[in-house]
Amino acid sequence: MATEIKDIAHAVEACAVMKLLPARPRLLALGEPTHGEDALLDVRNELFRQLVEQEGYRTIAIESDCLMGLAVDGYVTSGTGTLDQVMEHGFSHGWGASAANRELVRWMRAHNDGRPASERIRFAGFDGPLEITGAASPRPALTALHGYLSAQVDAGLLPCTAETLDRLLGTDDRWTNPAAMMDPAQSVGQSEEAGELRLLADDLVALLDAQTPHLITATSWDDWDRARLYGRTATGLLRYHFRMADTSPSRMTWLVSLRDSMMAANLLAITERGPALVHAHNGHLQRDKSTTRMGGLPLEWWSAGAHVSAHLGAEYAFVATVLGTIRHQGVDTPAPDTVEGLLYALPEDRCVVDAPRLATALGDTRPEPRVSPYYGYAPLDPAHLARVDGIVFVKDVPQS
């Protein structure tokens, strides 16, 4: 078995990943099984550089706030702001503190310097403005969408004034109250004002759609595309807040489902620019349902990758990163009867593995699921192996 696996393992290079696929995908998804390890982001950075230089990829999307990411995109494409500023204000979830993320942004800016706009590479966050502790106010997205439309269309077509939006939104701390995540009664998502805002947001998005030919001509495709992002984010956040106020048993399933639906919508829009690499947790990018436990209850929902795969078919590819050890987190040498253990027996520290051929080589011998002692690391589910296009195996993850 070790010999058979060795025959389908290759150096971690973009060309090796591409050889696993029938054609260049419009969206190439590179997953990771744990967050916060710069060694994995270094692998991502090198693959993205090769994809840009060898395969014509033009965008990288990461699991970070889609609105905050606009600042990073402005810096890498046009030099707006400084590297320090965008690392502090352009990332959510604390990702801006990562040295590997900083190096990615630095390289992208250097790559774009002096190139015409048509040849510049782009950055995107594709997560909603959501954190574990709650959701952002819809104010930035709603007011930006309203502002864009009010500058370009007849005032009589607008469903409301900016003052009406401001009154209905109220103070932002009403929306961001962290107590609302655990206590639906603390959420304003089903208030009368929130209900009015959902209707107005829907009307603003409908107006944006109806005026598309004029708006692209009067502004630019990029400005119109950004307005679509504002619309998706505003409506998505208002749905999310509505479900935060829900008292039914399906509340948490709705919340995790809505987050991945927002991610998927952002990814599908990003692919309109051309081929893109997306990097996020394996659980968000896999084709299978995602699962977790919250408050002792099991949750199941369709991941962003499952949604995008359903839309794009063969133009979506998923490569999962699989790990041997994270010793500083208590994850030691994997058992030999797991997928991780089989790959750990290879001599290479890092390799790309043909996952469907690995599944075929295993035949009826299904590996045992690896059990992680560290809550922040999710091993590969052996049952998913046949629906993964490739594996990037990293033998040992050193402490960042």
Side-chain angles (χ1 to χ4, degrees):
M1 179 61 69
T3 303
E4 292 180 58
I5 296 175
K6 193 176 189 310
D7 290 341
I8 56 175
H10 309 280
V12 181
E13 295 175 343
C15 60
V17 173
M18 288 299 166
K19 285 177 181 176
L20 303 180
L21 310 172
R24 184 183 71 172
R26 203 185 326 171
L27 187 65
L28 175 58
L30 176 64
E32 62 176 5
T34 187
H35 286 321
E37 300 296 344
D38 270 4
L40 303 185
L41 303 191
D42 289 337
V43 173
R44 173 205 66 186
N45 290 355
E46 179 58 21
L47 278 175
F48 180 58
R49 182 185 68 77
Q50 294 177 20
L51 288 167
V52 169
E53 295 174 351
Q54 301 168 19
E55 301 291 340
Y57 276 65
R58 284 288 172 263
T59 301
I60 186 168
I62 75 165
E63 189 183 334
S64 184
D65 185 319
C66 56
L67 297 187
M68 296 176 77
L70 294 173
V72 183
D73 189 53
Y75 175 75
V76 301
T77 55
S78 307
T80 304
T82 68
L83 180 58
D84 286 342
Q85 287 169 344
V86 299
M87 296 312 298
E88 182 177 356
H89 302 294
F91 292 83
S92 60
H93 303 83
W95 303 153
S98 160
N101 279 337
R102 186 182 185 89
E103 175 55 24
L104 171 69
V105 175
R106 187 209 62 75
W107 177 80
M108 292 180 71
R109 177 68 204 124
H111 176 89
N112 284 336
D113 193 26
R115 293 178 186 266
S118 61
E119 296 179 12
R120 293 173 194 160
I121 54 177
R122 306 287 298 271
F123 177 93
F126 76 96
D127 201 352
L130 307 169
E131 296 280 358
I132 297 299
T133 54
S137 165
R139 176 186 299 278
L142 263 180
T143 55
L145 175 59
H146 187 278
Y148 172 78
L149 289 169
S150 63
Q152 302 299 332
V153 305
D154 187 281
L157 294 173
L158 292 165
C160 66
T161 64
E163 290 74 22
T164 297
L165 278 184
D166 187 62
R167 174 179 59 79
L168 292 171
L169 285 162
T171 59
D172 285 345
D173 58 8
R174 297 170 65 238
W175 299 93
T176 58
N177 177 10
M181 180 51 78
M182 302 308 297
D183 181 3
Q186 298 292 317
S187 172
V188 297
Q190 293 189 16
S191 65
E192 184 177 342
E193 294 87 352
E196 289 187 53
L197 286 168
R198 290 185 77 186
L199 292 172
L200 292 173
D202 185 69
D203 281 346
L204 287 168
V205 170
L207 181 58
L208 178 70
D209 290 342
Q211 295 292 315
T212 287
H214 162 66
L215 293 169
I216 291 178
T217 303
T219 60
S220 68
W221 192 93
D222 277 349
D223 288 343
W224 167 81
D225 187 50
R226 186 178 299 116
R228 286 199 302 164
L229 171 62
Y230 293 141
R232 290 193 304 274
T233 305
T235 54
L237 279 173
L238 286 164
R239 289 190 200 107
Y240 195 90
H241 281 287
F242 179 87
R243 290 299 171 182
M244 285 184 75
D246 188 6
T247 57
S248 77
S250 62
R251 176 179 183 264
M252 290 308 301
T253 299
W254 263 111
L255 291 178
V256 292
S257 298
L258 286 171
R259 181 188 178 196
D260 272 74
S261 293
M262 290 175 71
M263 287 180 166
N266 286 334
L267 289 173
L268 288 169
I270 287 165
T271 63
E272 295 176 19
R273 300 177 186 168
L277 173 72
V278 56
H279 185 257
H281 197 282
N282 286 332
H284 289 304
L285 301 178
Q286 65 192 27
R287 291 184 174 92
D288 294 271
K289 271 190 170 182
S290 297
T291 59
T292 192
R293 296 185 73 85
M294 287 190 180
L297 298 174
L299 297 180
E300 278 192 351
W301 71 100
W302 289 109
S303 69
H307 284 284
V308 176
S309 180
H311 282 275
L312 297 185
E315 291 190 290
Y316 178 75
F318 171 48
V319 176
T321 299
V322 173
L323 306 179
T325 72
I326 324 173
R327 298 194 194 279
H328 54 280
Q329 298 290 7
V331 180
D332 292 320
T333 304
D337 59 350
T338 62
V339 171
E340 289 82 359
L342 291 168
L343 297 176
Y344 200 80
L346 297 173
E348 294 84 4
D349 290 331
R350 295 176 180 179
C351 58
V352 170
V353 177
D354 187 325
R357 286 183 63 189
L358 175 59
T360 300
L362 292 169
D364 295 331
T365 309
R366 177 172 289 184
E368 288 297 312
R370 188 182 192 184
V371 178
S372 171
Y374 168 46
Y375 73 94
Y377 160 61
L380 181 71
D381 185 339
H384 295 175
L385 193 58
R387 287 172 57 76
V388 175
D389 296 300
I391 289 171
V392 170
F393 180 67
V394 178
K395 197 166 202 174
D396 299 294
V397 178
Q399 190 160 8
S400 298

